[in-house]
Amino acid sequence: MSENQPTTAMPTTYDPKSAEHKWYEYWMKGGYFEAGKRPDAPKYTIVIPPPNVTGMLHIGHALDFTLQDIMTRTKRMQGFDALWLPGSDHAGIATQTKVEQKLREQGLSRYDLGREKFLEKVWEWKETYNNTIREQWAKMGFGLDYSRERFTLDEGLSRAVRQVFVKLYEKGLIYRGKKIINWDPAARTALSDIEVEYKEVNGNLYHLQYPLSDGSGYLTVATTRPETMLGDTAVAVHPEDERYKHLIGQTLILPIIGREIPIVGDDYVEKEFGSGAVKITPAHDPNDFELGLRHDLPQITVMDESGTMNDQAGPYEGLDRAECRKRIVKDLQEQGVCIRIEEHVHQVGHSERSGAVVEPYLSTQWFVAMKPLADRAIEAQREGKGVNFVPDRFERTYLQWIENVRDWCISRQLWWGHRIPAWHHAETGEIYVGTEAPAGAGEEGSPWKQDEDVLDTWFSSALWPFSTLGWPDEDAEDFKRFYPTDLLVTGYDIIYFWVARMIFTALEFTDQIPFKDVLMHGLVRDENNQKMSKSLGNGIDPLDVIEKYGADAMRFMLSTNNTPGQDLRFRWEKVEQARNFANKIWNASRFALMNLEGVSAADIDITVPLGTADRWILHRLNETSRDVTRMIDSYDFGETGRLLYNFIWDDLCDWYIEFAKLNLYGSDAAAKKATQSVLAYVLDRTQRLIHPFMPFISEEIWQHLPHEGETITLAAWPVYEAALEAPEAVKEMELLMDLIRSVRNIRAEVNVPMSKKIELIIKPAGQSELAIVERNREFVERFCGTSKLDIALAVETPEKAMTAIVTGADLYFPLAGLIDIAQEIVRLEKELKTLNGEVERIEKKLGNEGFVAKAPAKVIEEEKAKMADYADKRDKVLARIAELRG
């Protein structure tokens, strides 16, 4: 439709459910979120942080995605060719664990099905939850370009993964080696650091005496994990420790096992900590592993992949590691080796997926050498060619981590994921790495067998910003058009694990940073400021919020109560406030439409002569448009929400619409037509400003208003126009609003309802103020409820009257028979105390040399003007108190 003249009245109340379903279907059918339709426009790109296909989206996703939707909707309205690309992550271990749990309920394991059949089950799971995620996105109103939807295991992304692996391998940056990694004994796979949750555990510290081989004494060591002593291959001391330096090179007898182990000297040992002697278990501790390499110590693994003690564990072979601990402590106590046990609280790593205690485990895995990749990212950041972090403090966090980066274990002992593109030759032991299998691989009798492991989920996620756009085909239209992306919105908790790795790979493979800005947000916590978790049962389902209050209310609450980098506390009353705000917008629009019958978009003309209130609201709209745009561009959504709320609730609804009624219901046809134009124009622009935050209600209202175009999603964003500036109208309205507020406050104080007419005397401060009040006499009479209104520069002050001092006028409210003079004096004395406090506060500020030296001249002048105004009001209050007492 090219132009819409409203033909039906708006319902009395707004029904979110019907509007949300209706408009999302309309947007999808119209293809309004599909990018690439504005080839000559500047581009704007966000690729969604892909949610895991493990279940439902939570309230944290709702926050993260709402902020992205706000940005892409705004940019689209500003004329950009905006792409918000959707997708999801296969989430290797997380998804495989979910499917295996489901199989266990049927009495099956993945091994019963075999790899191929098991993967069919996982793909079925993926389809189910991918559809669920799409349904949730729709419920929340997200403007995603589904024509470009991607999945981390789709063929295009798999090709990118293989190419990156091969290229890094050829450069020597991917290698296969034996190292200590995080091991999940329940899932029987290596884990990434982010999949390890550290929990405070009440444990014990066991003090053990290892005898010297020559029988001359003992060395005392302490451990929280006595079962690992079975794999000890040395005891280390500091080479400068006077207590032990003479023992370096001698040997000890390892209790239980009876193995002779050396005493080594190493700077890693802290002389002042504990006994100054440390047991070294290279196969079960990452620090011990490094020390073992320096001293060429054996690496003895004493448990298998399930956490069961193996044949190196001597008499404890076959025991679970927890049971082994109990047995070995008992035996050590009986032998007099365990001399003391003390309670000890420490952090223990647990698998995020299985809940099992993570085992530091010596294992042959694939690794990425990270330092060369990190060095390039550090250089880019320091040369000002890196990523802009919001808030900027996260740049320090990012740099601190990448400056101390460790090699990344990328192999996982799973079936669900990108299979490592490496083939092992059964006869020669040769390893072939390539994007395609070696000749003959897969055929019967071939000696080539593909590596059984898959890649860490984060490996494919690290390529997300460019693999989703068609890379490695650098001629792909979307890659050329939309890369690099403009913004990444993500939680601060994955800055190391995902953000940094995306930057590393983008610089390595595209020679560009993957995104211009990174907007960091915090966690959504419950109303008691606790982290939401399944164990606490305090999680919030976004669909529950939508069911109760509508998507717009949830979106507005999440986005405008959010400060970049800070956690957000979810409060139901805040969602209710947002719903009430939506209702306020609805009711104001409904009133307007009742007074815009027959008005079309072509009829709207704000260049005609306008009244004070009309020019004032256009000025305030203009200011709000400018400030909202600036705040959105700086990602200050909290301040944006405050600006929109104040303009819509206060300026538009509480003031302008009330003032507009005089012209709308009056006999001046020209004034009525002008006000209708202003009302339609302001409401139209207001819906556009609120649209990125509240897309459904704004579309519903906009479609009822006189407008041009098919949808508000493509309507032009309101921009600042110098022609709409009206400082004189602002000055007039501020005086009128102050005056009306003061009279209403006095009425409330003495309990005189608006239905009861009053006499009002106004003494303007000068000719200019006199002209303003006289010009707007009709407004004053209406909104102050006067039976008699006197306006003069010189007035006879009534004896029994309430008084108010506003900037530009003194007000007298004769209340013969209704006022208690003593009470009025008490009220004025309270007002005097407040005014004295304001004067003293500003005097102190202006007397502060530091403030005066640093503050801009404009700010200092504003403070001086405020002080003069407060002092003038104070003097008038003093004079009035004297009159009443006189």
Side-chain angles (χ1 to χ4, degrees):
M1 60 194 89
S2 59
E3 182 178 311
N4 178 334
Q5 179 177 317
T7 55
T8 58
M10 288 169 62
T12 307
T13 57
Y14 173 60
D15 177 20
K17 288 180 185 176
S18 62
E20 288 166 7
H21 178 74
K22 174 178 68 177
W23 291 119
Y24 202 78
E25 278 200 343
Y26 179 76
W27 296 331
M28 289 296 104
K29 187 177 178 181
Y32 300 127
F33 303 133
E34 290 178 16
K37 297 179 179 179
R38 298 171 172 177
D40 298 326
K43 69 89 183 173
Y44 185 83
T45 315
I46 298 177
V47 291
I48 202 166
N52 296 343
V53 287
T54 48
M56 308 282 280
L57 301 180
H58 54 66
I59 199 72
H61 288 117
L63 166 63
D64 192 284
F65 299 158
T66 295
L67 299 182
Q68 294 168 63
D69 197 32
I70 288 169
M71 292 307 303
T72 46
R73 284 181 182 272
T74 301
K75 293 298 179 181
R76 194 176 291 113
M77 295 174 77
Q78 288 175 337
F80 285 77
D81 187 9
L83 168 61
W84 187 19
L85 188 147
S88 52
D89 196 314
H90 67 281
I93 188 171
T95 305
Q96 178 159 320
T97 300
K98 292 275 190 182
V99 177
E100 287 193 272
Q101 285 172 351
K102 192 176 177 183
L103 286 175
R104 275 197 295 275
E105 292 169 7
Q106 303 166 30
L108 297 171
S109 76
R110 59 170 156 148
Y111 302 104
D112 294 324
L113 273 66
R115 189 166 193 148
E116 190 175 332
K117 291 291 184 184
F118 176 75
L119 289 177
E120 287 177 10
K121 293 288 185 187
V122 189
W123 277 105
E124 288 172 12
W125 174 282
K126 176 263 176 184
E127 285 304 315
T128 297
Y129 281 94
N130 222 46
N131 289 335
T132 299
I133 287 168
R134 286 193 204 101
E135 288 167 8
Q136 288 183 288
W137 281 339
K139 290 273 189 183
M140 291 185 254
F142 297 146
L144 293 154
D145 184 350
Y146 287 103
S147 70
R148 290 173 166 85
E149 186 174 4
R150 304 306 298 267
F151 178 56
T152 49
L153 277 178
D154 71 30
E155 178 46 42
L157 271 69
S158 295
R159 189 162 68 95
V161 165
R162 291 194 298 273
Q163 179 148 325
V164 167
F165 187 98
V166 171
K167 293 289 185 186
L168 290 176
Y169 181 79
E170 290 171 347
K171 292 182 75 169
L173 295 178
I174 282 183
Y175 62 93
R176 195 164 183 259
K178 200 170 187 180
K179 289 189 177 186
I180 294 279
I181 46 87
N182 299 312
W183 184 262
D184 182 335
R188 300 191 187 191
T189 181
L191 298 175
S192 66
D193 291 340
I194 197 173
E195 289 163 332
V196 179
E197 291 182 325
Y198 287 89
K199 300 176 183 178
E200 199 170 80
V201 171
N202 294 318
N204 294 311
L205 190 62
Y206 303 88
H207 297 265
L208 312 177
Q209 285 187 331
Y210 287 10
L212 290 159
S213 298
D214 62 7
S216 62
Y218 300 87
L219 277 188
T220 302
V221 297
T223 180
T224 59
R225 306 178 67 227
E227 68 276 11
T228 64
M229 69 170 286
L230 303 169
D232 286 358
T233 56
V235 168
V237 297
H238 194 282
E240 302 301 322
D241 193 327
E242 294 296 334
R243 295 170 294 175
Y244 307 124
K245 62 191 298 185
H246 66 288
L247 296 176
I248 295 172
Q250 295 189 37
T251 59
L252 297 155
I253 301 298
L254 181 64
I256 306 289
I257 299 297
R259 186 168 61 242
E260 202 169 345
I261 61 175
I263 300 169
V264 299
D266 197 285
D267 292 340
Y268 163 72
V269 181
E270 296 178 37
K271 290 185 288 184
E272 297 77 17
F273 186 77
S275 68
V278 181
K279 63 187 282 299
I280 303 301
T281 321
H284 291 278
D285 182 277
N287 295 315
D288 292 4
F289 175 78
E290 297 296 334
L291 187 148
L293 291 178
R294 290 195 292 274
H295 297 274
D296 197 25
L297 297 174
Q299 301 163 344
I300 301 174
T301 302
V302 297
M303 62 183 77
D304 66 16
E305 293 178 351
S306 68
T308 301
M309 309 310 291
N310 64 15
D311 59 0
Q312 294 291 325
Y316 308 103
E317 181 181 359
L319 292 179
D320 173 76
R321 55 185 173 159
E323 181 60 28
C324 176
R325 179 179 299 183
K326 294 175 187 174
R327 295 269 193 96
I328 202 169
V329 168
K330 182 174 179 290
D331 292 346
L332 290 170
Q333 285 176 311
E334 288 176 355
Q335 294 178 21
V337 174
C338 183
I339 58 170
R340 188 166 86 255
I341 302 174
E342 59 181 310
E343 291 183 355
H344 179 66
V345 178
H346 60 137
Q347 295 286 324
V348 176
H350 290 71
S351 170
E352 183 185 49
R353 305 305 172 188
S354 71
V357 172
V358 169
E359 189 66 42
Y361 194 67
L362 183 61
S363 178
T364 299
Q365 303 283 345
W366 292 89
F367 296 88
V368 176
M370 298 293 279
K371 191 171 185 309
L373 300 173
D375 286 345
R376 185 169 180 185
I378 293 167
E379 181 184 3
Q381 208 66 26
R382 289 186 171 157
E383 289 181 354
K385 299 174 183 175
V387 170
N388 174 43
F389 285 89
V390 182
D392 59 8
R393 70 176 183 273
F394 285 105
E395 181 178 25
R396 293 192 298 276
T397 307
Y398 164 72
L399 285 171
Q400 283 168 4
W401 183 76
I402 65 174
E403 285 166 357
N404 298 284
V405 73
R406 297 185 299 175
D407 286 1
W408 173 19
C409 174
I410 55 171
S411 47
R412 297 289 179 270
Q413 290 63 55
L414 304 169
W415 288 353
W416 175 243
H418 291 98
R419 191 91 172 258
I420 288 177
W423 287 260
H424 303 265
H425 197 285
E427 297 163 5
T428 65
E430 178 190 353
I431 296 177
Y432 171 83
V433 172
T435 56
E436 304 295 335
E443 297 175 8
E444 189 175 346
S446 172
W448 290 107
K449 185 180 180 185
Q450 187 171 2
D451 199 293
E452 290 288 330
D453 289 352
V454 300
L455 287 164
D456 177 14
T457 298
W458 297 99
F459 192 91
S460 51
S461 298
L463 319 182
W464 188 249
F466 52 94
S467 64
T468 52
L469 293 170
W471 189 94
D473 178 6
E474 296 192 4
D475 289 327
E477 287 301 318
D478 279 358
F479 181 73
K480 290 193 295 183
R481 171 66 168 153
F482 294 107
Y483 185 81
T485 69
D486 293 273
L487 174 66
L488 172 73
V489 180
T490 189
Y492 58 63
D493 52 336
I494 55 173
I495 188 170
Y496 319 127
F497 309 106
W498 189 42
V499 178
R501 287 168 179 170
M502 284 191 286
I503 295 170
F504 290 1
T505 55
L507 288 171
E508 178 69 20
F509 290 97
T510 72
D511 289 320
Q512 298 181 80
I513 55 173
F515 23 71
K516 177 185 162 195
D517 294 339
V518 177
L519 173 60
M520 314 298 299
H521 62 75
L523 303 172
V524 181
R525 295 179 175 271
D526 71 9
E527 59 187 1
N528 298 315
N529 208 31
Q530 286 186 303
K531 183 178 177 179
M532 293 184 183
S533 69
K534 288 181 181 176
S535 60
L536 291 172
N538 62 344
I540 301 289
D541 184 341
L543 296 192
D544 289 344
V545 184
I546 292 169
E547 178 67 24
K548 193 170 183 181
Y549 291 108
D552 289 327
M554 182 189 73
R555 290 169 57 112
F556 193 78
M557 179 271 171
L558 288 173
S559 57
T560 63
N561 282 274
N562 173 57
T563 302
Q566 300 296 318
D567 290 348
L568 179 152
R569 192 180 298 189
F570 184 94
R571 292 189 178 97
W572 283 103
E573 62 268 26
K574 290 283 187 182
V575 189
E576 189 172 353
Q577 287 172 14
R579 190 272 315 273
N580 294 343
F581 180 47
N583 288 341
K584 186 83 168 179
I585 299 170
W586 181 264
N587 292 333
S589 304
R590 187 168 170 272
F591 162 79
L593 279 164
M594 289 190 291
N595 290 277
L596 292 176
E597 190 175 347
V599 177
S600 69
D603 296 327
I604 298 172
D605 183 4
I606 59 171
T607 64
V608 298
L610 301 173
T612 300
D614 295 329
R615 287 181 288 118
W616 168 76
I617 197 64
L618 289 171
H619 176 100
R620 285 291 299 119
L621 171 68
N622 204 33
E623 282 185 327
T624 303
S625 301
R626 177 196 65 202
D627 295 344
V628 162
T629 303
R630 188 177 72 248
M631 290 299 108
I632 289 177
D633 285 345
S634 61
Y635 310 116
D636 191 342
F637 301 111
E639 180 62 13
T640 305
R642 189 191 66 80
L643 289 167
L644 288 169
Y645 189 94
N646 289 348
F647 172 74
I648 294 171
W649 194 289
D650 297 336
D651 296 342
L652 178 59
C653 297
D654 285 358
W655 287 105
Y656 178 69
I657 285 179
E658 292 303 312
F659 274 67
K661 287 175 182 177
L662 286 178
N663 287 338
L664 293 173
Y665 301 154
S667 56
D668 187 331
K672 177 179 180 178
K673 189 173 181 182
T675 294
Q676 284 178 319
S677 283
V678 171
L679 189 57
Y681 180 89
V682 172
L683 274 170
D684 172 275
R685 268 52 180 185
T686 298
Q687 302 317 309
R688 300 185 198 203
L689 289 174
I690 204 74
H691 176 70
F693 297 84
M694 294 179 154
F696 293 115
I697 194 171
S698 55
E699 181 78 88
E700 179 73 23
I701 292 170
W702 190 80
Q703 292 286 356
H704 280 85
L705 290 168
H707 69 268
E708 293 180 347
E710 296 178 0
T711 173
I712 195 171
T713 63
L714 301 181
W717 183 255
V719 296
Y720 174 83
E721 298 179 51
L724 295 180
E725 287 294 298
E728 288 305 312
V730 172
K731 182 181 176 183
E732 286 198 26
M733 281 296 291
E734 285 178 351
L735 174 55
L736 293 173
M737 290 188 296
D738 278 355
L739 191 154
I740 293 164
R741 277 193 212 100
S742 295
V743 172
R744 288 177 173 175
N745 289 341
I746 291 171
R747 276 181 173 275
E749 199 167 327
V750 294
N751 199 25
V752 177
M754 282 298 295
S755 58
K756 188 173 179 67
K757 297 292 185 182
I758 61 161
E759 290 185 28
L760 178 62
I761 300 169
I762 301 176
K763 181 184 177 184
Q767 288 291 345
S768 171
E769 290 79 7
L770 175 65
I772 290 171
V773 181
E774 282 287 8
R775 191 159 54 239
N776 294 281
R777 171 183 282 271
E778 190 178 359
F779 288 128
V780 177
E781 289 175 339
R782 175 184 173 87
F783 295 115
C784 292
T786 60
S787 57
K788 181 182 179 186
L789 174 63
D790 291 332
I791 308 168
L793 293 175
V795 298
E796 186 177 334
T797 308
E799 275 192 23
K800 290 188 176 184
M802 296 288 281
T803 61
I805 313 297
V806 300
T807 303
D810 298 347
L811 311 179
Y812 303 96
F813 188 169
L815 291 172
L818 295 177
I819 187 174
D820 184 317
I821 292 178
Q823 280 187 356
E824 173 64 356
I825 291 172
V826 169
R827 186 188 72 82
L828 287 169
E829 284 176 338
K830 284 182 184 176
E831 188 174 345
L832 180 63
K833 185 178 180 181
T834 300
L835 291 167
N836 278 330
E838 290 297 329
V839 171
E840 288 171 15
R841 180 182 63 80
I842 298 176
E843 281 178 341
K844 193 177 290 184
K845 186 184 278 190
L846 293 173
N848 183 330
E849 292 181 6
F851 170 77
V852 174
K854 293 178 182 177
K858 182 183 176 185
V859 172
I860 293 172
E861 288 307 312
E862 287 173 352
E863 290 297 319
K864 286 180 178 177
K866 283 183 197 173
M867 188 170 74
D869 187 42
Y870 286 131
D872 180 53
K873 289 176 180 175
R874 179 186 61 184
D875 293 344
K876 289 176 178 177
V877 169
L878 278 168
R880 185 60 184 150
I881 291 171
E883 285 176 11
L884 290 174
R885 283 178 173 159

